[in-house]
Amino acid sequence: MRKYLAAVILIFFCCSCSEKSAESVDLSAVEGYLFGSVPEYKDSDIREIPITFLTERDSLELKTTVGTRRIWQMSIIIPEVPGSDDPLKHLQRAVEKKYGLKFGVFQKITRSGISVELSRDFKRGERGCRCTFTDNALEQLARDEAALPVNQHKAAIIQAEKDILNLEYSVNSFYDETGVYPDSFDALMVNPGIKNWQGPYLKNIPNDPWGRKYQYRKTANGFIIFSTGADGNSQLHP
């Protein structure tokens, strides 16, 4: 009887240890931003915030739901990792250490007293290494909100504003190196014969969300870039 009771206690103890050994960490925020919270700004679906994580040029990218503006995804982007043969592995180890995570094993993450599962992804991109944290439940909320007609219109405007900001960045880069503004978007991709041109500053010119070309005009003090909007007659710009 004693042997039987001891065996039951041992099994129970092992199960309890197994339950506790499943990693559980408190990831209430990434670099000060909470999942499910609403950022102070409300003008963009994606916003990059300069942070210092491994280098001085790291950034934090936030994605929010279109309607309620709640954060559902955060990505740490590392342009380069000095002294590492494999920047991706280096970033993974740094994230594991900073947030107490163990990648490759099942983890439940406690946030605001609620146990949620976050999917985590490491990959290389054009701007360097990226570690992405996604709240799966809020991601579904983002999909549901985006499917609403009123939010589809909002999402189109947000995308147009983002495209225009990227185009403005390319034009300003052109100006910084040549001292003049381009006559058209084409000059950002092919050197029109201007001294100190160090492009291409742009790989391609996207159409706006309504399938029309973005408009570029030089002005007395610089330039203006805009979309003609859903009706084709507006001047939409950030």
Coordinates of all heavy atoms in Angstrom, one line a residue, residues 149-150 152-161 164 207-215 226-237:
P149 N -16.3 47.4 -44.8 CA -16.1 48.3 -45.9 C -15.5 49.7 -45.5 O -14.7 50.3 -46.1 CB -17.5 48.5 -46.4 CG -18.2 47.2 -46.1 CD -17.6 46.8 -44.8
V150 N -16.0 50.2 -44.3 CA -15.5 51.5 -43.8 C -14.0 51.4 -43.5 O -13.3 52.4 -43.8 CB -16.3 52.0 -42.6 CG1 -16.2 51.0 -41.4 CG2 -15.9 53.4 -42.2
Q152 N -11.9 49.3 -45.0 CA -11.2 49.0 -46.2 C -10.8 50.4 -46.8 O -9.7 50.6 -47.4 CB -12.0 48.2 -47.2 CG -12.2 46.8 -46.8 CD -13.0 46.0 -47.7 OE1 -13.7 46.5 -48.6 NE2 -13.0 44.6 -47.6
H153 N -11.7 51.4 -46.7 CA -11.5 52.7 -47.2 C -10.4 53.4 -46.4 O -9.4 54.0 -46.9 CB -12.7 53.5 -47.2 CG -12.5 54.9 -47.7 ND1 -12.2 55.2 -49.0 CD2 -12.6 56.1 -47.0 CE1 -12.1 56.5 -49.1 NE2 -12.3 57.1 -48.0
K154 N -10.4 53.2 -45.1 CA -9.4 53.7 -44.2 C -8.0 53.1 -44.5 O -7.0 53.8 -44.6 CB -9.7 53.5 -42.7 CG -10.9 54.3 -42.2 CD -11.1 54.0 -40.7 CE -12.2 54.8 -40.1 NZ -12.4 54.4 -38.7
A155 N -8.0 51.8 -44.7 CA -6.8 51.1 -45.0 C -6.1 51.6 -46.3 O -4.9 51.7 -46.4 CB -7.0 49.6 -45.1
A156 N -7.0 51.9 -47.3 CA -6.5 52.4 -48.6 C -5.8 53.8 -48.4 O -4.8 54.1 -49.0 CB -7.6 52.5 -49.6
I157 N -6.4 54.6 -47.6 CA -5.9 55.9 -47.3 C -4.6 55.8 -46.6 O -3.6 56.5 -46.9 CB -6.9 56.8 -46.5 CG1 -8.1 57.1 -47.4 CG2 -6.2 58.1 -46.0 CD1 -9.2 57.8 -46.7
I158 N -4.5 54.9 -45.6 CA -3.3 54.7 -44.8 C -2.2 54.2 -45.7 O -1.0 54.7 -45.6 CB -3.5 53.7 -43.7 CG1 -4.4 54.3 -42.6 CG2 -2.2 53.2 -43.1 CD1 -4.9 53.3 -41.6
Q159 N -2.5 53.3 -46.7 CA -1.5 52.8 -47.6 C -1.0 53.9 -48.5 O 0.2 54.0 -48.8 CB -2.0 51.6 -48.4 CG -1.0 51.0 -49.4 CD 0.2 50.4 -48.7 OE1 0.0 49.7 -47.7 NE2 1.4 50.8 -49.1
A160 N -1.9 54.7 -49.0 CA -1.5 55.8 -49.9 C -0.6 56.8 -49.1 O 0.5 57.2 -49.7 CB -2.7 56.6 -50.4
E161 N -0.9 57.1 -47.9 CA 0.0 58.0 -47.1 C 1.4 57.4 -46.9 O 2.4 58.1 -47.0 CB -0.7 58.3 -45.8 CG -1.9 59.2 -45.9 CD -2.6 59.4 -44.6 OE1 -2.3 58.7 -43.6 OE2 -3.5 60.3 -44.5
I164 N 3.3 57.6 -50.1 CA 3.8 59.0 -50.4 C 5.0 59.4 -49.5 O 5.9 60.0 -50.0 CB 2.6 60.0 -50.2 CG1 1.5 59.8 -51.3 CG2 3.1 61.4 -50.2 CD1 0.2 60.5 -51.0
N207 N 1.6 52.1 -57.9 CA 0.3 52.8 -58.1 C -0.3 53.0 -56.7 O 0.0 52.3 -55.8 CB -0.6 52.0 -59.0 CG -0.1 52.0 -60.4 OD1 0.5 53.0 -60.9 ND2 -0.5 51.0 -61.2
D208 N -1.2 54.0 -56.7 CA -1.9 54.1 -55.4 C -3.0 53.0 -55.2 O -3.2 52.2 -56.1 CB -2.6 55.5 -55.3 CG -3.8 55.7 -56.3 OD1 -4.3 54.7 -56.8 OD2 -4.1 56.9 -56.5
P209 N -3.6 52.9 -54.0 CA -4.5 51.8 -53.8 C -5.7 51.7 -54.7 O -6.4 50.7 -54.8 CB -5.0 52.0 -52.3 CG -3.9 52.8 -51.7 CD -3.4 53.7 -52.8
W210 N -5.9 52.8 -55.5 CA -7.1 52.8 -56.4 C -6.6 52.6 -57.9 O -7.3 52.8 -58.8 CB -7.8 54.1 -56.3 CG -8.3 54.3 -54.9 CD1 -9.5 53.8 -54.4 CD2 -7.7 55.0 -53.9 NE1 -9.6 54.2 -53.1 CE2 -8.5 54.9 -52.7 CE3 -6.5 55.8 -53.8 CZ2 -8.2 55.5 -51.5 CZ3 -6.2 56.4 -52.5 CH2 -7.0 56.2 -51.4
G211 N -5.3 52.2 -58.0 CA -4.8 51.8 -59.3 C -4.3 52.9 -60.2 O -4.1 52.7 -61.4
R212 N -4.2 54.1 -59.6 CA -3.7 55.3 -60.4 C -2.3 55.7 -60.0 O -1.8 55.3 -58.9 CB -4.7 56.5 -60.1 CG -6.1 56.2 -60.4 CD -6.9 57.5 -60.3 NE -8.4 57.2 -60.5 CZ -9.2 56.9 -59.6 NH1 -8.8 56.8 -58.3 NH2 -10.5 56.6 -59.9
K213 N -1.7 56.5 -60.8 CA -0.3 56.9 -60.6 C -0.3 58.0 -59.5 O -1.1 58.9 -59.5 CB 0.4 57.4 -61.9 CG 0.5 56.3 -62.9 CD 1.3 56.8 -64.1 CE 1.5 55.7 -65.2 NZ 2.3 54.6 -64.7
Y214 N 0.8 58.0 -58.7 CA 1.0 59.1 -57.8 C 1.5 60.3 -58.6 O 2.2 60.2 -59.5 CB 2.0 58.7 -56.7 CG 1.4 57.8 -55.7 CD1 1.8 56.4 -55.7 CD2 0.6 58.2 -54.7 CE1 1.2 55.6 -54.7 CE2 0.1 57.4 -53.7 CZ 0.4 56.0 -53.7 OH -0.1 55.2 -52.8
Q215 N 1.0 61.5 -58.2 CA 1.4 62.7 -58.9 C 2.6 63.4 -58.2 O 2.6 63.5 -57.0 CB 0.2 63.6 -58.9 CG -1.1 63.0 -59.6 CD -0.8 62.6 -61.0 OE1 -0.4 63.5 -61.8 NE2 -1.1 61.4 -61.4
F226 N 1.2 63.6 -54.3 CA -0.2 63.3 -53.8 C -0.8 62.2 -54.7 O -0.4 61.8 -55.8 CB -1.0 64.6 -53.8 CG -1.2 65.2 -55.2 CD1 -2.3 64.8 -56.0 CD2 -0.3 66.1 -55.7 CE1 -2.5 65.4 -57.3 CE2 -0.5 66.6 -57.0 CZ -1.6 66.3 -57.8
S227 N -1.9 61.7 -54.1 CA -2.8 60.7 -54.8 C -4.1 61.4 -55.1 O -4.5 62.3 -54.4 CB -3.1 59.5 -53.9 OG -4.2 58.8 -54.4
T228 N -4.6 61.0 -56.2 CA -5.9 61.6 -56.6 C -7.1 61.0 -55.9 O -8.3 61.3 -56.2 CB -6.1 61.6 -58.2 OG1 -6.0 60.2 -58.6 CG2 -5.1 62.4 -58.9
G229 N -6.8 60.0 -55.0 CA -7.9 59.4 -54.2 C -8.8 58.5 -54.9 O -8.6 58.2 -56.1
A230 N -9.8 58.1 -54.2 CA -10.8 57.1 -54.7 C -11.6 57.7 -55.8 O -12.0 57.0 -56.8 CB -11.8 56.7 -53.6
D231 N -11.9 59.0 -55.8 CA -12.7 59.6 -56.9 C -11.9 60.1 -58.1 O -12.4 60.5 -59.1 CB -13.5 60.8 -56.3 CG -12.6 61.9 -55.7 OD1 -11.3 61.8 -55.8 OD2 -13.1 62.8 -55.1
G232 N -10.5 60.1 -58.0 CA -9.7 60.5 -59.1 C -9.5 62.0 -59.2 O -8.8 62.5 -60.1
N233 N -10.1 62.8 -58.3 CA -10.1 64.2 -58.4 C -9.6 64.9 -57.2 O -9.6 66.1 -57.1 CB -11.5 64.8 -58.7 CG -12.0 64.3 -60.1 OD1 -11.3 64.4 -61.1 ND2 -13.2 63.7 -60.1
S234 N -9.1 64.1 -56.2 CA -8.7 64.7 -54.9 C -7.2 65.0 -54.9 O -6.5 64.6 -55.9 CB -9.0 63.8 -53.7 OG -10.4 63.5 -53.7
Q235 N -6.7 65.6 -53.9 CA -5.3 65.7 -53.6 C -5.0 65.2 -52.2 O -5.0 65.9 -51.3 CB -4.8 67.2 -53.7 CG -4.5 67.6 -55.2 CD -3.6 68.8 -55.2 OE1 -2.8 69.0 -54.3 NE2 -3.6 69.5 -56.3
L236 N -4.8 63.9 -52.2 CA -4.5 63.2 -50.9 C -3.0 63.1 -50.6 O -2.3 62.5 -51.4 CB -5.1 61.8 -50.9 CG -4.9 60.9 -49.7 CD1 -5.6 61.4 -48.5 CD2 -5.4 59.5 -50.0
H237 N -2.6 63.7 -49.5 CA -1.2 63.5 -49.1 C -1.2 63.6 -47.5 O -2.1 64.1 -46.9 CB -0.3 64.6 -49.7 CG -0.9 66.0 -49.7 ND1 -0.9 66.8 -48.5 CD2 -1.5 66.7 -50.6 CE1 -1.5 67.9 -48.8 NE2 -1.9 67.9 -50.1

